[in-house]
């Protein structure tokens, strides 16, 4: 194959939006191919696993999994880097990118498949994407089937009766924290997008276009809403900031969302997988969280551990991680890798 990259994806897939936004930021020529049933069949040979996005490079190599896609291509298209030079900021950005993929996804997925209005909205868009020519009766049947299938899968992100309140409370806290942080900057680490932005924003953008969480964001969190729209076509509008100016509003987010929720969950999930447990419980932000173990995260957590282990000057980073209650969990991850 010659010509531009091809991206088989969907507007309803946060990981597709993530890759598309990065390609737009890099000004890389690509064709956006809606992941219809016909497109999936046509490009079936490139789907190692049945998930989107799939990126087909000009050399006819297929790429999957949004984080490895971006990390691989970032090495090839290094201009306008998404990584700050400061090692401290680099790691925190990587940590927040992982948080976006693995924890912010819980917010999006929970809201999308918990209430009837959101279920109908999402399922209708999924069916219309896959088969835009479906008639009314067929559409209704397929929508019902998608809702049944997806509501049966909410356990995967930990959405259940016990955790629902925690997910929604954490979501609202995060929006308030991010809204304050983004009041004086365009992106999470200053006036240019970092890896962290590409991890968190697509999850929240997909929440923005769903009825229930979208109404929450639009009603009160205007800085967040503007950031999510900006991240559809991100661009350099200035510099990465120094940690000293980021810390007053980013540290509270790291402490509440990463140190009190994401990392303790990550360690507990890893330990449960090693025990081959069917269900695990863990205390998060003062409440008991219970869910079935999530297999993929153990793999991405090991990548994060490697990044932490490779930090050259860890003293400054560890100080930040200590203040935000992240350090003990990252050291536990490193010891038990």
């Amino acid at each position: 194959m010659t010509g531009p990259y091809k991206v088989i994806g969907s507007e309803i897939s946060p990981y597709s939006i993530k890759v598309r936004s990065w390609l737009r930021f890099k000004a890389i020529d690509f064709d956006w191919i809606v992941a219809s049933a016909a497109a999936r069949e046509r490009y079936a040979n490139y789907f190692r696993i049945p998930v989107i996005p799939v990126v087909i490079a000009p050399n006819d190599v297929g790429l999957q999994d949004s984080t490895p896609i971006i990390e691989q291509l970032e090495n090839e298209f290094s201009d306008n880097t998404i990584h700050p030079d400061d090692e401290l900021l680099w790691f925190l950005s990587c940590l927040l990118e992982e948080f976006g993929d693995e924890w912010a996804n819980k917010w999006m997925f929970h809201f999308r498949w918990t209430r009837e209005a959101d279920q109908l909205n999402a399922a209708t868009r999924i069916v219309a994407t896959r088969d835009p020519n479906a008639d009314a009766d067929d559409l209704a049947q397929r929508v019902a089937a998608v809702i049944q299938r997806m509501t049966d899968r909410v356990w995967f992100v930990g959405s259940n009766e016990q955790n629902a309140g925690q997910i929604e409370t954490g979501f609202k806290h995060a929006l308030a924290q991010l809204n304050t942080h983004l009041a004086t900057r365009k992106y999470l680490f200053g006036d240019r997008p970092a890896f962290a932005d590409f991890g968190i924003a697509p999850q929240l953008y997909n929440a923005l276009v769903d009825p229930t969480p979208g109404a929450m964001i639009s009603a009160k969190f205007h800085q967040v809403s503007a950031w999510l729209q900006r991240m559809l076509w991100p661009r350099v509008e200035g510099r990465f900031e120094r940690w000293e100016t980021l810390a007053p509003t980013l540290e509270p987010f790291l402490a509440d969302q990463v140190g009190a929720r994401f990392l303790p969950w990550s360690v507990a999930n890893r330990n449960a997988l090693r025990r081959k447990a069917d269900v695990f419980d863990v205390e998060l932000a003062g409440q008991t969280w219970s869910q079935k173990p999530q297999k993929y995260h153990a793999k991405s957590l090991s990548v994060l551990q490697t990044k932490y282990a490779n930090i050259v000057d860890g003293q400054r980073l560890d100080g930040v991680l200590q203040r935000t209650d992240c350090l003990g969990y990252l050291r536990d991850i490193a010891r038990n890798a």
Side-chain angles (χ1 to χ4, degrees):
M1 183 183 79
T2 58
Y5 284 80
K6 295 184 184 297
V7 182
I8 299 98
S10 170
E11 294 286 340
I12 205 168
S13 158
Y15 302 104
S16 298
I17 299 299
K18 173 183 175 181
V19 170
R20 186 179 69 180
S21 292
W22 181 87
L23 289 165
R24 286 174 171 174
F25 174 65
K26 292 289 185 170
I28 296 170
D29 191 20
F30 71 96
D31 292 332
W32 175 256
I33 300 168
V34 175
S36 64
R40 289 171 182 267
E41 182 177 354
R42 178 179 179 185
Y43 297 103
N45 289 340
Y46 299 96
F47 280 79
R48 299 189 307 276
I49 53 176
V51 297
I52 54 176
V54 170
V55 173
I56 306 173
N59 63 359
D60 206 35
V61 172
L63 307 171
Q64 280 188 283
D65 195 339
S66 62
T67 298
I69 289 171
I70 290 176
E71 289 186 320
Q72 177 176 331
L73 294 181
E74 179 74 21
N75 289 330
E76 299 176 26
F77 298 91
S78 57
D79 290 346
N80 289 335
T81 180
I82 59 172
H83 297 302
D85 289 335
D86 185 333
E87 194 176 39
L88 164 67
L89 300 184
W90 172 82
F91 181 78
L92 293 179
S93 179
C94 291
L95 175 60
L96 288 173
E97 189 271 345
E98 176 74 359
F99 167 88
D101 276 4
E102 303 297 332
W103 190 264
N105 178 253
K106 296 182 186 300
W107 304 328
M108 186 281 296
F109 203 89
H110 165 80
F111 276 107
R112 178 165 285 176
W113 300 112
T114 299
R115 295 170 175 83
E116 184 178 6
D118 302 282
Q119 292 169 355
L120 287 169
N121 177 278
T124 301
R125 287 188 288 151
I126 288 172
V127 173
T129 296
R130 292 187 175 180
D131 187 0
N133 298 316
D135 61 37
D137 289 340
D138 191 27
L139 180 67
Q141 291 178 3
R142 293 191 184 191
V143 166
V146 169
I147 291 174
Q148 182 64 57
R149 183 172 71 251
M150 299 307 289
T151 54
D152 285 346
R153 294 188 66 215
V154 294
W155 65 266
F156 181 74
V157 299
S159 176
N160 55 43
E161 186 175 347
Q162 179 169 333
N163 299 341
Q166 298 179 62
I167 293 173
E168 298 192 9
T169 297
F171 176 71
K172 293 172 186 175
H173 286 178
L175 291 176
Q177 292 154 357
L178 289 172
N179 207 61
T180 299
H181 181 66
L182 291 164
T184 56
R185 54 189 56 85
K186 299 291 187 183
Y187 303 96
L188 293 178
F189 284 80
D191 287 336
R192 56 183 299 159
F195 203 13
D197 295 273
F198 292 97
I200 300 174
Q203 303 291 344
L204 290 178
Y205 175 76
N206 263 259
L208 179 66
V209 299
D210 286 348
T212 300
M216 294 180 185
I217 296 171
S218 299
K220 292 181 61 177
F221 305 108
H222 303 142
Q223 301 295 342
V224 172
S225 182
W227 169 58
L228 300 181
Q229 297 293 342
R230 193 178 300 122
M231 278 300 297
L232 293 177
W233 290 90
R235 59 193 178 94
V236 174
E237 301 185 53
R239 298 180 179 180
F240 290 124
E241 292 180 40
R242 295 176 296 108
W243 174 244
E244 288 72 20
T245 61
L246 294 167
T249 49
L250 194 54
E251 274 199 8
F253 181 85
L254 284 165
D256 183 54
Q257 299 297 328
V258 183
R261 304 174 197 269
F262 172 56
L263 285 179
W265 170 82
S266 296
V267 170
N269 181 75
R270 179 208 61 193
N271 292 344
L273 288 168
R274 289 181 174 177
R275 297 194 312 270
K276 299 182 180 179
D278 293 329
V279 177
F280 70 92
D281 294 340
V282 58
E283 291 296 307
L284 304 181
Q287 293 183 279
T288 301
W289 176 282
S290 181
Q291 77 164 97
K292 297 179 182 180
Q294 202 169 313
K295 291 182 179 180
Y296 177 79
H297 180 55
K299 177 182 176 182
S300 60
L301 187 64
S302 69
V303 176
L304 183 66
Q305 180 274 325
T306 299
K307 291 176 179 177
Y308 176 68
N310 287 336
I311 294 294
V312 175
D313 182 10
Q315 184 174 0
R316 184 162 159 257
L317 171 63
D318 284 353
V320 174
L321 296 175
Q322 180 71 50
R323 289 195 300 274
T324 55
D325 297 323
C326 295
L327 182 60
Y329 297 110
L330 284 165
R331 285 181 171 173
D332 180 272
I333 294 164
R335 282 194 304 268
N336 294 282

